[in-house]
Amino acid sequence: MKRRVLLQSAAGAALLAGGGMPAMAQSRAETLRYVTGATINTLDTTMFGATRESFGLSMNVYDRLFRFGRKKVADYWVFDPDKIEGELAKSYSISPDNKVITITLRDDATWQDGSPVTAEDVKWSLDRAVSAKSLAAPQFTTGSLTSVDQFKIVDPKTLTVTLEKPDRLALANLCVCYAIMVNSKLAKQNATGEDPWAQEWMKTNTAASGAYIVESHKAGESTVLRRNDKWAGAPGGTLPFFRRIIIQTVPEPATRANLVERGDADLSIDLAAADLPTIEKSAKAKLVSMPQTNGFTHVSMNTQAAPFDNPKVRKAVAAALSYDDMFKAAIFERGRKLYDGTWTTTPPDASFPQPIPNKADPALAKKLLAEAGFPNGFSTTFAFNVGAAATAEPVAALLKESLGKVGIQVEIQKKPDAEFNTLASERKMPFFMDGATAWLPYTYYFFYLYFTREQRWNFSSFKSTKMEELTLDARYQTDKAKYDDDCLKMIEIFNAETPLIMLWQPNHDAAMAKSVDGYTYQFYRQADFRDLKRV
């Protein structure tokens, strides 16, 4: 390893060993040391600009009314979006017309200051989610949760949520990172006339009931959590194993990998692919890897601008790419292919993402280009975010080479993160590579989020009246057979129109000490400390 990396590793190990950290009464065995390349920039996950690390922290510190269950896939645990369990909720029922959800709270639930959780607190929290200027409100609209009038208190432990139409994502939205339940009395004590929802105060303070209490927080450096021994939301009544969590920001991936490999840290995710083989061979560490089942990496084309407004051009690009070479060069085959599907027009099932029948076929690409009026090809630009250069650069080089063989000349553009996101939002990139993750991994939701409406996540600016009709029908559809039929038709349209090209679902890789067990891949792609234990 480079001398710089070794020095960083030594410094990181010293800090983890105790320098700069609070004194710990708990034993080393009961303490989890987690190193991350990102930062926890706010304790309120609903704030604009919140990082994924903030999302992950929130899931461990705040409770929601509900949570997704988890299931075993092969040797590993993953979240189960088809299983919704109570967290602060003891139970729920849905009216025969599927429009009223009645929620009963746990009798033993308390806030971290010891006061009881009441329906009044929950009502205030839901009101905050749909009213405050934050990330929560737009997410809640995907479950038809839009107005404070929808939330009614029945008694101190019961409230109702009323929907205008049955919405299959209403309950699921109460599981996501933004659906935090807040100690309203504490928050209101720190609110102001200009800030009635205590957003400024909650950036650096918590009003929570969750499994872990924030003991100290230095934005950009470290956060220390201690277990909430009065947490009532533990599955089966069992408290988390770890009494203390030390979270430290270590930007260099190689340093984080070295800390885990040497045993100076217990857990790290989002390491560089090049560092993973060392972890796999380590005597002290192990690697848990699973495809990011709710996400995908893709190549997008602006379907509203020439030449990519022609479906035959888009199909030609899809036929020209050297998929396997990209898969090997970019992510070392660590993931699930979303190409090489064995079907032609009708998919085998209604799941999505699934392998699409795209294959490298230069002859077909040339034929489609000629039919589209580009027998000699054309010139374009292809952009990617420099922050994703480790995987995007090999893809870009191979894409340029493949398309050049069929007459499409490509200029590669590397864009800084802020510029890339701005250009994507303003629809000013004709051709680019990006990634996407859907918190609610249901087929309808994927298509609603990524292929309808003029908004940031419609990467390809795709417009299809039929797609919009199908997503609207599926959203409120209570008949499973009809819902599945809608989803099959959405996938057929996607395949026929090729608004973007699915590449793969990259693996989620978690490097950890061999003594750590129970890691669960969660929809927000961060560690859930509540599931972990030392064995």
Side-chain angles (χ1 to χ4, degrees):
M1 297 176 70
K2 293 181 181 178
R3 180 174 180 272
R4 175 175 62 87
V5 172
L6 288 171
L7 289 172
Q8 287 177 327
S9 179
L15 180 57
L16 287 168
M21 291 294 181
M24 292 181 292
Q26 287 78 34
S27 70
R28 174 69 179 90
E30 295 173 305
T31 299
L32 181 84
R33 295 173 171 177
Y34 173 53
V35 288
T36 172
T39 61
I40 298 169
N41 63 343
T42 173
L43 298 181
D44 182 354
T45 188
T46 70
M47 297 308 299
F48 293 110
T51 61
R52 269 202 298 121
E53 286 293 336
S54 295
F55 296 160
L57 180 79
S58 169
M59 298 302 287
N60 290 279
V61 172
Y62 280 92
D63 282 325
R64 284 118 187 102
L65 287 169
F66 302 99
R67 61 170 167 255
F68 292 128
R70 64 176 189 154
K71 60 185 177 182
K72 219 44 179 315
V73 174
D75 295 328
Y76 306 118
W77 289 100
V78 300
F79 77 102
D80 184 355
D82 296 321
K83 185 180 181 183
I84 293 180
E85 304 172 340
E87 197 157 82
L88 277 182
K90 179 173 67 174
S91 63
Y92 72 92
S93 61
I94 301 177
S95 63
D97 64 0
N98 292 293
K99 292 183 180 181
V100 180
I101 305 169
T102 300
I103 300 169
T104 303
L105 302 177
R106 301 176 63 97
D107 294 324
D108 54 353
T110 60
W111 299 109
Q112 290 175 351
D113 65 4
S115 60
V117 175
T118 67
E120 181 182 349
D121 292 313
V122 173
K123 158 74 173 165
W124 189 88
S125 301
L126 294 172
D127 289 352
R128 182 182 194 264
V130 300
S131 301
K133 193 173 288 186
S134 75
L135 295 169
Q139 176 62 43
F140 270 41
T141 63
T142 67
S144 297
L145 305 171
T146 59
S147 169
V148 298
D149 295 332
Q150 294 176 263
F151 315 122
K152 301 290 185 183
I153 297 172
V154 177
D155 62 45
K157 290 294 182 180
T158 311
L159 72 156
T160 59
V161 177
T162 302
L163 308 171
E164 183 178 344
K165 295 180 181 179
D167 193 315
R168 63 191 315 107
L169 296 186
L171 269 180
N173 265 289
L174 298 178
C175 299
V176 303
C177 301
Y178 303 143
I180 57 175
M181 293 296 106
V182 179
N183 181 340
S184 65
K185 298 175 186 64
L186 178 58
K188 284 188 281 190
Q189 288 172 13
N190 294 280
T192 66
E194 295 75 33
D195 182 20
W197 302 109
Q199 289 178 297
E200 281 301 314
W201 181 78
M202 284 180 59
K203 288 179 184 178
T204 54
N205 298 274
T206 59
S209 63
Y212 284 95
I213 297 169
V214 176
E215 191 169 274
S216 68
H217 173 62
K218 296 179 181 178
E221 297 181 23
S222 63
T223 304
V224 178
L225 310 178
R226 75 171 186 273
R227 191 176 72 188
N228 176 11
D229 288 338
K230 295 182 179 179
W231 184 47
T238 303
L239 288 172
F241 174 86
F242 287 103
R243 291 179 176 271
R244 181 160 295 199
I245 309 291
I246 298 174
I247 305 167
Q248 183 193 352
T249 297
V250 179
E252 176 61 51
T255 304
R256 298 199 305 275
N258 188 250
L259 288 167
V260 175
E261 194 272 330
R262 287 173 18 174
D264 292 322
D266 292 304
L267 175 66
S268 188
I269 62 175
D270 295 336
L271 296 176
D275 293 322
L276 301 180
T278 302
I279 298 293
E280 291 179 312
K281 297 173 184 176
S282 171
K284 295 183 178 180
K286 64 182 178 181
L287 194 66
V288 170
S289 299
M290 63 218 73
Q292 295 177 16
T293 54
N294 58 322
F296 56 90
T297 301
H298 60 94
V299 167
S300 275
M301 298 160 281
N302 187 338
T303 61
Q304 301 305 307
F308 299 116
D309 57 345
N310 189 324
K312 288 191 175 182
V313 170
R314 302 195 296 266
K315 297 292 282 186
V317 172
L321 301 184
S322 54
Y323 295 97
D324 281 338
D325 291 340
M326 292 177 175
F327 191 53
K328 293 173 185 175
I331 62 170
F332 303 89
E333 300 181 276
R334 301 186 69 89
R336 177 195 179 211
K337 298 177 181 179
L338 292 178
Y339 58 90
D340 273 353
T342 57
W343 52 284
T344 52
T345 56
T346 302
D349 57 54
S351 66
F352 194 82
Q354 63 172 278
I356 303 300
N358 288 329
K359 298 175 175 62
D361 189 341
L364 175 60
K366 290 180 180 179
K367 177 177 178 291
L368 289 167
L369 284 173
E371 291 175 0
F374 297 95
N376 299 315
F378 56 87
S379 297
T380 188
T381 59
F382 180 78
F384 64 83
N385 188 332
V386 293
T391 55
E393 204 145 26
V395 168
L398 289 165
L399 176 143
K400 179 182 175 73
E401 179 183 357
S402 297
L403 294 183
K405 292 177 181 178
V406 299
I408 302 175
Q409 305 306 312
V410 177
E411 176 193 338
I412 305 299
Q413 297 181 338
K414 305 176 186 179
K415 302 288 187 183
D417 181 68
E419 182 185 358
F420 182 90
N421 287 326
T422 298
L423 290 171
S425 298
E426 296 177 351
R427 309 288 185 269
K428 291 183 178 178
M429 292 187 293
F431 193 29
F432 61 95
M433 178 179 175
D434 206 349
T437 306
W439 282 352
L440 305 177
Y442 309 103
T443 297
Y444 138 72
Y445 185 72
F446 273 110
F447 283 99
Y448 175 75
L449 184 61
Y450 297 123
F451 302 106
T452 68
R453 300 161 298 132
E454 292 185 12
Q455 39 83 28
R456 166 69 175 90
W457 306 116
N458 186 351
F459 298 102
S460 59
S461 301
F462 186 59
K463 293 181 180 179
S464 166
T465 301
K466 184 61 176 176
M467 184 73 82
E468 291 174 1
E469 290 173 352
L470 288 167
T471 57
L472 282 174
D473 186 71
R475 176 174 183 170
Y476 305 114
Q477 186 57 255
T478 57
D479 184 304
K480 185 180 184 306
K482 291 181 180 178
Y483 172 79
D484 287 346
D485 185 61
D486 284 343
C487 292
L488 288 169
K489 290 174 180 174
M490 291 179 211
I491 300 169
E492 288 175 0
I493 292 173
F494 172 80
N495 180 51
E497 295 288 330
T498 314
L500 57 75
I501 302 167
M502 295 282 190
L503 296 179
W504 49 70
Q505 291 176 318
N507 275 0
H508 177 80
D509 297 301
M512 65 193 74
K514 286 190 173 178
S515 62
V516 175
D517 195 20
Y519 188 88
T520 302
Y521 171 67
Q522 294 285 6
F523 62 94
Y524 48 91
R525 294 188 292 132
Q526 290 291 308
D528 192 328
F529 306 129
R530 300 171 298 179
D531 294 330
L532 298 174
K533 59 185 177 181
R534 201 179 294 281
V535 296

